[in-house]
């Protein structure tokens, strides 16, 4: 299971160029709106310097980084929720993703068409969010109608609760707010999980800038706001890793666009990485939600690990690298045994013991 991010935005703002820079996959990215029609899907290896060191400590013959999936879809225009542009077809392509990355153009370039002929990031965000809101509203209203028809006036406690949650979200969307702003509790979220509401998904706002872009506007949601010169990232992606690193240095850039986006994705989705060790000499990184317990983390590797979970032998990756060997770490008693209630931590290196 990997986590997935849907890339959205107005047409011609750089979504496919971003996708190409991230996945190094050749896709159509041209200077005309609606260049992308069918979605592009690709996985990206999460950059992880520690994985190399860990593999050498564990003398693993193979190392496998964890991955994140990106989905690049058609541009969204005003009225998309009502079928304008590529309309609902486009929106259905991102219903299943875990988070959304909204690309917002904030660079001047007379050669690159802007569908509104004006650079106005604030306005563009509003247009996009409004379409997501309208699309979710349609889903909510249909669901309420369907339930009311089914129960024919005779309701039970569970149905009443469901309708109450749906109406709470409806009220929020009617005031042009994202469903995320309805402050639903865990139970309420569970009730409407199957609806895959777009405005309930965490969102990263990616401001696509160039050297001349000034910070003209501020994005409200600090947690998920990043900046990137997408065109430059796409050019750097064509170089080999060493050359790209050198070039980045000369530009005074600390991290790659991919690093930035991955860090933001982990933050916004509340993710952590753990590592499996001593498993057929393969050292592999895995992504899970913060708060996941050991058996469920084991289940990400294989369902048998979860079913037959006995215990996990765990040590933090930094500690293990410091010891320099699994044997020494064991001798020093630094590898702990954790049971089924253990909550996984960032950087845990695990050996899961299970009943076959
Ligand atoms: N100057 C400049 N041009 C860019 C930048 N990002 C993308 N472009 C150009 O903008 C055009 C559109 O880019 P795409 O990546 O195809 O845009 P898109 O959002 O996928 O467009 P649709 O698929 O039509 O919705 C291409 O000609 C890109 O080279 C940027 O940061 N600066
Ligand atoms: Mg595109």
């Amino acid at each position: 299971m990997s986590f997935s991010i849907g890339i959205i935005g107005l047409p011609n703002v750089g979504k496919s160029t971003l996708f190409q820079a991230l996945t190094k996959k050749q896709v159509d990215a041209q200077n005309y709106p609606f260049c992308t029609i069918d979605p592009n899907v690709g996985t990206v290896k999460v950059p992880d310097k520690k994985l190399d060191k860990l593999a050498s400590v564990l003398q693993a013959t193979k190392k496998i980084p964890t991955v994140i999936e990106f989905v690049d879809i058609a541009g969204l225009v005003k009225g998309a929720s009502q079928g304008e542009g590529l309309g609902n077809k486009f929106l259905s392509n991102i219903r299943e993703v875990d988070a959304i990355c909204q690309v917002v153009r904030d660079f001047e370039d007379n050669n690159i068409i802007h569908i509104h002929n004006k650079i106005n990031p604030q306005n563009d965000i509003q247009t996009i969010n409004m379409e997501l809101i309208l699309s979710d509203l349609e889903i909510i209203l249909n669901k309420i109608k369907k339930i009311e028809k089914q129960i024919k006036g005779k309701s039970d406690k569970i149905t009443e609760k469901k309708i109450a949650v749906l109406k709470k979200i409806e009220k929020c969307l009617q005031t042009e707010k994202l469903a995320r702003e309805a402050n639903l509790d865990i139970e309420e979220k569970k009730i409407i999980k199957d609806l895959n509401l777009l405005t309930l998904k965490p969102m990263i706002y990616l401001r696509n800038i160039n050297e001349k872009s000034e910070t003209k506007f501020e994005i409200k949601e600090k947690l998920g706001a990043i900046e990137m010169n997408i065109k430059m990232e796409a050019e750097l992606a064509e170089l080999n890793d060493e050359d790209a690193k050198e070039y980045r240095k000369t530009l005074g850039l600390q991290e790659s666009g991919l690093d930035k986006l991955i860090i933001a994705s982990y933050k916004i989705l509340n993710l952590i990485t753990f590592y499996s060790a001593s498993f057929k000499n393969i050292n592999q990184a895995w992504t899970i939600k913060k708060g996941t317990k050991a058996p469920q983390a084991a289940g990400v590797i294989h369902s048998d690990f979860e079913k037959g979970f006995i215990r996990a032998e765990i040590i933090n990756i930094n500690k293990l690298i410091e010891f320099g060997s699994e044997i020494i770490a064991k001798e020093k008693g630094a590898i702990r045994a954790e049971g089924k209630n253990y909550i996984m931590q960032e950087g845990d290196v695990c050996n899961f013991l299970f009943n076959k």
Side-chain angles (χ1 to χ4, degrees):
M1 180 194 72
S2 64
F3 288 87
S4 58
I5 314 266
I7 305 171
I8 66 162
L10 289 180
N12 222 37
V13 292
K15 300 181 295 299
S16 297
T17 312
L18 171 69
F19 178 85
Q20 202 161 314
L22 296 172
T23 61
K24 304 199 177 182
K25 261 190 177 181
Q26 209 59 42
V27 294
D28 257 348
Q30 305 282 344
N31 184 17
Y32 59 85
F34 299 116
C35 171
T36 307
I37 297 176
D38 294 323
N40 299 306
V41 183
T43 47
V44 173
K45 291 176 190 158
V46 173
D48 189 342
K49 288 183 196 119
K50 287 181 189 167
L51 188 65
D52 292 337
K53 285 190 192 150
L54 183 65
S56 104
V57 168
L58 293 173
Q59 293 173 343
T61 46
K62 203 171 169 191
K63 51 178 196 277
I64 307 173
T66 184
V67 293
I68 287 204
E69 186 181 82
F70 286 93
V71 186
D72 163 42
I73 46 182
L76 183 58
V77 288
K78 190 161 188 255
S81 56
Q82 260 67 50
E84 279 298 318
L86 294 168
N88 281 326
K89 182 175 178 294
F90 147 83
L91 292 167
S92 66
N93 289 326
I94 50 158
R95 289 255 166 231
E96 310 288 321
V97 299
D98 297 295
I100 291 175
C101 171
Q102 183 174 157
V103 176
V104 191
R105 177 171 166 180
D106 195 11
F107 65 86
E108 299 279 349
D109 187 335
N110 292 336
N111 297 318
I112 305 291
I113 303 161
H114 188 294
I115 56 151
H116 300 148
N117 299 317
K118 195 172 184 306
I119 307 301
N120 189 340
Q122 204 87 61
N123 208 28
D124 296 353
I125 288 179
Q126 257 174 18
T127 303
I128 297 292
N129 285 354
M130 198 57 214
E131 288 313 310
L132 303 182
I133 287 170
L134 289 172
S135 170
D136 280 353
L137 187 58
E138 192 185 335
I139 287 180
I140 293 280
L141 292 174
N142 281 341
K143 190 77 190 176
I144 294 175
K145 218 195 262 170
K146 198 171 156 197
I147 295 176
E148 282 174 345
K149 204 170 156 193
Q150 265 169 2
I151 58 168
K152 296 186 187 112
K154 277 185 258 155
S155 185
D156 56 45
K157 276 238 156 67
I158 297 172
T159 315
E160 270 169 29
K161 176 82 191 160
K162 193 162 190 176
I163 291 186
V165 180
L166 291 168
K167 294 214 160 145
K168 186 174 175 181
I169 301 171
E170 184 203 340
K171 207 170 144 200
C172 178
L173 297 171
Q174 293 281 19
T175 53
E176 302 188 358
K177 281 193 187 138
L178 308 171
R180 216 166 348 113
E181 295 173 87
N183 293 324
L184 303 181
D185 60 30
I186 294 173
E187 199 198 337
E188 290 174 323
K189 277 186 192 160
K190 233 187 229 164
I191 292 172
I192 46 95
K193 192 171 183 283
D194 61 319
L195 296 181
N196 277 326
L197 296 178
L198 297 171
T199 64
L200 207 54
K201 296 182 194 292
M203 182 138 60
I204 295 165
Y205 291 94
L206 190 159
R207 192 169 153 252
N208 186 8
I209 53 165
N210 68 8
E211 310 75 32
K212 285 177 261 161
S213 303
E214 298 154 20
T215 318
K216 281 180 274 186
F217 83 109
E218 270 198 46
I219 292 166
K220 263 198 307 189
E221 299 187 46
K222 289 275 176 278
L223 186 65
I226 54 174
E227 290 177 0
M228 206 186 286
N229 183 335
I230 290 179
K231 195 174 174 203
M232 196 190 67
E233 288 296 335
E235 283 160 9
L236 285 168
E238 283 179 17
L239 305 177
N240 68 42
D241 288 354
E242 276 309 303
D243 289 350
K245 215 167 138 190
E246 267 313 300
Y247 194 50
R248 234 178 261 289
K249 240 191 215 166
T250 61
L251 293 169
L253 295 171
Q254 310 276 344
E255 52 191 359
S256 70
L258 172 60
D259 285 341
K260 244 188 205 178
L261 189 50
I262 297 279
I263 291 167
S265 308
Y266 263 60
K267 237 191 235 168
I268 206 145
L269 280 167
N270 244 330
L271 303 177
I272 56 169
T273 302
F274 78 91
Y275 303 85
S276 56
S278 310
F279 179 60
K280 290 184 192 157
N281 292 331
I282 300 171
N283 172 210
Q284 187 158 0
W286 307 86
T287 313
I288 46 169
K289 283 257 181 203
K290 229 180 234 176
T292 302
K293 290 189 176 169
Q296 285 69 47
V300 172
I301 304 174
H302 200 295
S303 55
D304 287 352
F305 287 16
E306 182 174 353
K307 264 186 254 157
F309 182 89
I310 303 169
R311 66 176 184 278
E313 294 172 344
I314 297 185
I315 180 169
N316 175 270
I317 188 168
N318 294 327
K319 261 197 184 162
L320 182 54
I321 291 171
E322 235 173 74
F323 282 117
S325 121
E326 207 179 355
I327 296 167
I328 296 174
K330 234 176 224 165
E331 277 171 8
K332 300 268 179 197
I335 299 181
R336 310 163 342 247
E338 298 284 1
K340 63 180 188 327
N341 287 322
Y342 175 72
I343 295 172
M344 298 292 287
Q345 301 297 315
E346 168 69 42
D348 276 345
V349 181
C350 311
N351 184 21
F352 294 109
L353 301 160
F354 64 104
N355 279 319
K356 282 180 198 154

